[in-house]
Every structure is written in structure tokens, then in C-alpha cells.
Amino acid sequence: MLLEAKNIKFGYNKSRLILNGVNFGIDYGERVALIGPSGCGKSTLSQILAGYLKPQAGEVLFDSKPLPRKEFCPVQMVYQHPEKAVNPRWKLRSTLAEAWTPDAEFLDDMGIAPEWLDRYPAELSGGEMQRFCVARALAPQTKFIIADEMSTMLDVITQAQIWELMLRQIQQRNIGLLAVTHSMELAERVCTRIVRFEELT
Amino acid sequence: MENKIVLSVNGLSVAFKMYGKGFARKELRVISNLNINVRKGEIIAVAGSSGSGKSLLAHAILGILPGNAVVSGEINYCGTPLTEPRLRKLRGKEIALVPQSVEYLDPLMKVGKQVSADKAAVKAAFERYKLADSAANLFPFQLSGGMMRRVLCATAVVGNAKLIIADEPTPGMSKDLAGRAMKHFRDLADAGAAVILITHDIDLALGYADRIAVFYAGTTVETALASDFTDDSLLRHPYTKALWRAMPGNGFRPTAGTQPYAGSLPEGCLFAPRCDKKTQECTYGIIEPREVRNGEVCCRYAS
């Protein structure tokens, strides 16, 4: 297994567990879509798998080892709202540099115009900003991407563009993918396997 | 179709005053020459690229644009111009907004209180959107994205609005819930409200809307009947056709390029730089909307 969650338990307050014994595994070379009703815990599980939240019980294994705590995490996330995932007071050049400094060719591949680097987030549209979030997540050390509804806020042309960029990169570099989505059509287009959240517990 | 027009927007332009280098002032035009109208009992869906001015239109109608915005053109509500004092009376009562971002919720206030002070009304509205009663006592950070969306919908429908402007009400909701929210907007329209539904999810909107207005780079390029979205030959504008082809169910084929940035709009047709059918004719002048097959389109070649 490339990424594995074992018997994960998590709740935001003690009386109500959102995740109660979730088991989930994604194999090498798979692209998995996770589908489930609103509020069931998909985003919470994503954040646990990426190491942002610590489960109250259970463990997350990447390549059979726990996620590293002090170095670059090989599991990276792209969120639904790019404006909430970047620092509003930084130019996007600095936002990218948080993770790595891509060369001009990579930026071109991502459809990022060089002049956007010197803009602030408020001066870009959602689709333009989401390209930066995808580029930032695709640092050389990244081995796995979790896309939590990353194209829901985008128009269909931009959505198709962003997924095309993402799929090209993850196929070239053999990166694993978990896509959280509500769209069955999108899941069928992008992924090799579709998992319903209810099946995990 | 001769129903009463609740809201009509004619030749709307919105520009932002900005400072350039030093003391130089410039105006950045983000909406130009935009036309849209909505009748009683109708849902018109507004679709189009991100950053094409869809939310700005909503904010312009409600008069909540930032202070540096310059608005020109006509906005009429029930036949008379929507002026600032009139708006102040209507806003939040006859005209309701479902805002786009979940950040419109006050993070320090329990969500039930944000929906309404009237507990019974909150209960009914929550029930409609399948939110548990106990959710009223939670703060926004304790809710998931989809739940917050439903709270926003509930906020706008507790009153008795005649015009509802819903700005992306459904992302983050599952198919089932999104469908239910749409059905609810449909019910409100059937009961006599006029609904402007701003959305990216054309697929979803098609099942519930009467007409679709397609926006590109701050202007309406086409207004089509929802039933036209069954085949790309029924659509009129090349951009609408491109949207159609990019939908996951219809090929998922993106058209290259991006929408022009507001500061550097091309002359003539705004879509021309990305259009494979463009000619010399498309690169100058203003392309006026014209009627084609029961719809409106801004393209010299549409037929």
C-alpha cells in the first residue's frame, strides 16, 4: 500500500466521533475518488491523511512508514478555496517559494503567466490562484496529492484545464491521487477507482 | 413568457478606480455592457468563467460593491430604478442574497442566530435543508463546508423574498443535497419569486433553470433556453460551445488559453483570441446582442 489509514478515530468534540474506525488504503499507481454526503468527514479524513490533523486513535502509513513530522511531507493537499490556502499579504512568488522554486518551463506547463508571480492573491481569479496551489503542491519531493474538491469553484473549462495539468504531472512522476468530489462524472473521468465514504467504516 | 419582469439590467458597466504608479489614477473595467433580465416565476442561471463578473453583478444589484467602484447603466426593479434609498428598504427583505463564500458567516456567532432571531423560522428553514436542530447551536467552524452552504441558503429563504440572488449556493453539497437545494429554489420560483442563480455547475442548473445567461470577461455573450443545452449545435456562441465540450460528461476537452485580464481586454469580440472561427470582422467595434432562435447572442457569425 502506498497510503494507508488504519482504524482512524477522530471527533471535534468528545461526545461525537466523526470518524469511527476508518480503514482505507490506496495502492501504488491508483487514482482514487472519494465520494460521500456533505458533513460525513471526507475533508477531516483528508487532513488526517495529509498529516494536518492527529487522529485520536489509529495511524496513517505512507509507504509502510508513519508520515514524517519534521521534514517535507510527501502527501500534499490542494483545497477547495484557493483564497483560503494562500497568505493574502504575500505575493504569489513567495507563496510558491514556501514549497519550492519551479523553473520557467514548469510554470508554463501549469499555465501560470510570469507576471502573475508579482501579484497579490486579491489580484487573481480563483482559477488562476488554484494553478498556484497545484504548482505549490507538486514540489519534487511530493509523492501523493489529495485534491479536496479542488475544482468545484471553477468554471468547467478551467476545471478541465486544471485536471489536465494535474493528471499530466502525476502520470509523468508516478504520483498517487485521492480526489474528494461530489461529481460522479468527474470521478469517472479522472480516477481509476471510486470509493464511497460509507464503505470505509 | 409575457410574465412581469422583476429585474432588468441594461448596459451595466462596473469599473474600479485604482492607483497606478505615483499619483496616476486608472480605471479597471470589470463589467462592460451587460444585459440580463429575470421574470416573475423564473430561474435564470448565470454561468461562465471564474472572474467573468458573475458575483460582481450580484453585488452591483444589491449595492454592496466596494467604495472605489464606478457603476453605470440601468438597474430596474419592478419597473423603477433601484436607487440607494429604495435598496436600503428592500435589501434583506424583498431582495435576498445567498452569498458565495462561507466566510460571510460571522465566526463568533452561533449559526442559528445568524439565520434569524425567530427560533421557529430557523427550525423550519433548517428542516428544509436537512440540518439537525442541534446545528443551530454550533459555531461556523464546527460545521462542514456543505453544512455551512445550507445555512447560507436557509438565511436567504426565511423571509418572503421576491427576488433571490443565489451566488454559487451548492458547491460542497452532495448531489442529493444540491438537487434538493435546487428543487427548493424551483419551488420558490413557482410560488412567484424571481431567482438569479449564479453557478458553475451547469449540469445541475439545467434541470431546474428556465434560461441560462453565459458570461465571459464581464459581459453576457449568450442567453439561451435551458433546453438548448442538449447538443452543442443548439448553442449559439463559440464560448458556450466550448463550455459545453469541457463538461465532464461531454468530453472534458478544455479550450486553450485564459479569459483576458480586465486591464487588457481585446478590441471587438472578447472571446476572439481563443476562437477558432474568428475573422478580421471580430477584431473591432462593439458586438451588439441580437436575437437568434429565441435566444440572444453577441457573435457576428452565430446562426
Side-chain angles (χ1 to χ4, degrees), chain A residues 38-39 84 153 155 161 182 189, chain B residues 50 103 150 172 200 248 255 257:
Chain A
S38 149
K84 287 207 256 181
M153 297 304 292
D155 64 84
Q161 282 177 343
H182 285 301
R189 278 277 169 196
Chain B
S50 346
E103 294 193 344
R150 284 181 271 158
H200 283 308
T255 302

Side-chain angles (χ1 to χ4, degrees), chain B residues 16-83:
Chain B
F16 288 117
K17 267 190 259 164
M18 309 218 313
Y19 285 94
K21 276 218 168 78
F23 291 103
R25 303 269 291 261
K26 55 177 181 180
E27 278 198 0
L28 192 64
R29 192 175 256 227
V30 284
I31 286 186
S32 40
N33 241 329
L34 186 143
N35 304 305
I36 191 170
N37 60 58
V38 55
R39 300 181 186 92
K40 193 167 184 285
E42 178 187 57
I43 297 184
I44 183 160
V46 174
S49 50
S50 346
S52 64
K54 302 191 295 291
S55 300
L56 286 172
L57 167 69
H59 291 194
I61 296 169
L62 286 154
I64 52 172
L65 288 168
N68 63 337
V70 188
V71 182
S72 62
E74 271 176 42
I75 302 179
N76 290 323
Y77 174 72
C78 295
T80 33
L82 201 50
T83 53

